[in-house]
Amino acid sequence: MSEGSRQHSGLEKALRYGLAAVGPIATAGSQFILSLQLLHVLDIKSFGSFAFLLVTSQFSSGVWSALFCAPLPVLVTQGSAEQRQTMLRCLFATNLVLAAAAFLVFWALGEALGVAHGAAALFAGYGAFALLRWFGRAYAYVTGRQIRATMSDLLYSLALLAGLGAIYLTKSSDLYLPNAALMVSAILSLIPFGSSYLVQQFVKLSFRDIPHYREVWRRHSSWSLTGVVTTEATANAHAYIVTFFLGPTAFAPLSASALLIRPISVVMNALTDFERPQMARQLDAGRFDGALHSLRTFRVAMIGIWALTALAAATLIAFAPRLVFPERYAINYLAVATTLWMAVAGMRSLRTADSVLLQAGGVFRQLAYASMISSGVSVLAVVALLVWGGPLWSIAGILIGEAVYAAWIWREAAIWRRRQLAASSDSAAPIATSSDAARTQQRDRVEEEQAS
């Protein structure tokens, strides 16, 4: 390949990944603006209820990734054409049935938190349609229609921003209009997936194929779901424990202070989506040095983003805290909470590059072990610190869990790198994986992560 062709190929890949990142960044950005606006217009209890419901909705997206999105690339490429069609019918029908069940779960959660009946139903509608959209994005990626996923993200973001304008103009101070804006945005975001997708999802359903999902669960989803649950426990144990024991009012300041680390999470997710497939290709081609270079670049970028965000947050808290936080939130409390959240974000920033390298290399069992151990530590630490020092110090429990997670990942990454270097000295063959099956698993994982 000529130098010009390589440059053109590199530019094309950069544009493709840039296009894939635009949608998630826009979605996260619009939800960040919504949370920031509601922080000012809602009372503390209402904001805490909304923030907790949003946490559970984001968790449900991870559950959907495990149940449907991750197995999808494999199920549409294996077996005969008839078997593939049967599995697709099974997934579409099961997806709709479980989304309806999720509606009931979200509604019950809203009612338990004391949200008004209508507002709780609106959020439940958002939660259900958001899950249908999540599966639609995965289906668009698998069928080679990535632009549809991006258009769905952008339409969702634009619709939500329009809803934010309505909230501002009407001076709404309850959850009816925000939850309605979320639900309408989720419904409209299904349109870009096209009429054929919508017909498959809502019209041509085959509920008799649902029992085939047992095979999907046995082969793919059960272990993936374990990883999702343990990762959620590591990252958000405080949200569930504090809200369960003390209510949404106690959770609200913790969620408010966490808004300041949201930019780090957005950049982290975007860079992960870019670097993971790149590292996977480098490893699959035996270019271990290239993967290590990507690792170092990723790590430096994350440290830089963390440092800039921490500096901006410190400046805001010190000189103009009321630009973000209304008078009803105590600044000293928020300052300590923000410091703890920045420590959590720093730990995540330091270990993310190594985690992505292990994912690209197909080292999933060790990652699962790290997640399971750290989740147990997080839960125990959050409970202990909540009893000892109150809700504020529950964030330190998350920090302890993240530190255990990071230490385990660094250890496994160091062991894995030594093995690859040893293999490279013994053989000129590709060193990323030890067998064709492992390389296939690696490629499948890349496709699964893109789909989710």
Side-chain angles (χ1 to χ4, degrees), residues 90-446:
C90 166
L91 291 180
F92 273 103
T94 309
N95 179 48
L96 186 62
V97 169
L98 291 186
F103 172 87
L104 299 176
V105 171
F106 284 123
W107 196 355
L109 278 175
E111 295 283 349
L113 291 169
V115 177
H117 302 312
L122 287 169
F123 190 92
Y126 159 71
F129 280 107
L131 293 175
L132 294 175
R133 187 179 91 85
W134 202 244
F135 178 77
R137 292 181 81 258
Y139 185 72
Y141 274 114
V142 168
T143 55
R145 299 168 182 166
Q146 293 89 340
I147 189 66
R148 292 182 181 271
T150 300
M151 294 303 296
S152 173
D153 290 341
L154 294 178
L155 182 56
Y156 171 87
S157 303
L158 290 173
L160 188 54
L161 290 175
L164 291 174
I167 295 170
Y168 177 78
L169 292 174
T170 60
K171 301 188 185 317
S172 173
S173 59
D174 55 42
L175 285 173
Y176 280 96
L177 193 51
N179 290 352
L182 283 167
M183 187 180 75
V184 171
S185 300
I187 293 173
L188 292 177
S189 68
L190 297 176
I191 295 174
F193 296 134
S195 57
S196 61
Y197 162 80
L198 294 174
V199 168
Q200 280 184 287
Q201 183 61 84
F202 296 106
V203 180
K204 292 185 178 179
L205 289 168
S206 177
F207 294 107
R208 67 177 181 274
D209 287 314
I210 289 179
H212 290 290
Y213 189 79
R214 286 194 298 266
E215 182 66 15
V216 180
W217 172 262
R218 186 183 64 83
R219 293 175 54 195
H220 304 284
S221 298
S222 56
W223 279 107
S224 297
L225 185 59
T226 300
V228 168
V229 171
T230 54
T231 299
E232 177 73 3
T234 301
N236 286 318
H238 70 291
Y240 300 94
I241 294 171
V242 170
T243 304
F244 179 79
F245 285 108
L246 301 178
T249 301
F251 176 60
L254 307 184
S255 180
S257 59
L259 289 174
L260 296 183
I261 67 168
R262 188 73 63 83
I264 300 174
S265 301
V266 172
V267 173
M268 184 183 298
N269 292 335
L271 289 179
T272 295
D273 289 340
F274 179 85
E275 291 290 353
R276 186 191 295 111
Q278 178 172 281
M279 287 184 187
R281 285 194 303 273
Q282 290 168 331
L283 293 174
D284 199 37
R287 292 185 282 114
F288 186 61
D289 289 342
L292 290 183
H293 177 72
S294 296
L295 168 81
R296 289 188 290 268
T297 302
F298 190 2
R299 184 183 292 137
V300 169
M302 284 309 310
I303 292 172
I305 293 297
W306 177 86
L308 289 174
T309 306
L311 178 62
T315 303
L316 179 72
I317 291 291
F319 298 105
R322 296 308 177 191
L323 285 177
V324 174
F325 304 110
E327 294 287 343
R328 52 186 171 272
Y329 291 89
I331 294 303
N332 290 340
Y333 190 98
L334 293 172
V336 176
T338 299
T339 301
L340 291 171
W341 279 126
M342 282 299 164
V344 171
M347 193 64 66
R348 291 173 183 169
S349 299
L350 289 172
R351 57 91 170 157
T352 296
D354 295 273
S355 177
V356 171
L357 179 67
L358 291 176
Q359 292 173 32
V363 188
F364 306 124
R365 180 176 297 179
Q366 287 81 352
L367 287 170
Y369 287 154
S371 178
M372 287 187 283
I373 292 170
S374 62
S375 66
V377 171
S378 279
V379 170
L380 293 175
V382 166
V383 171
L385 289 169
L386 178 64
V387 173
W388 172 75
L392 176 62
W393 296 103
S394 68
I395 305 173
I398 298 298
L399 177 60
I400 294 171
E402 290 286 353
V404 171
Y405 195 22
W408 191 285
I409 285 175
W410 290 332
R411 172 180 172 274
E412 292 299 330
I415 293 172
W416 186 81
R417 286 197 298 268
R418 286 197 297 269
R419 288 175 179 168
Q420 303 312 309
L421 289 172
S424 66
S425 64
D426 295 337
S427 172
I431 61 174
T433 53
S434 59
S435 67
D436 290 339
R439 285 195 293 272
T440 299
Q441 183 188 42
Q442 171 185 309
R443 287 192 295 269
D444 288 343
R445 176 64 174 181
V446 172

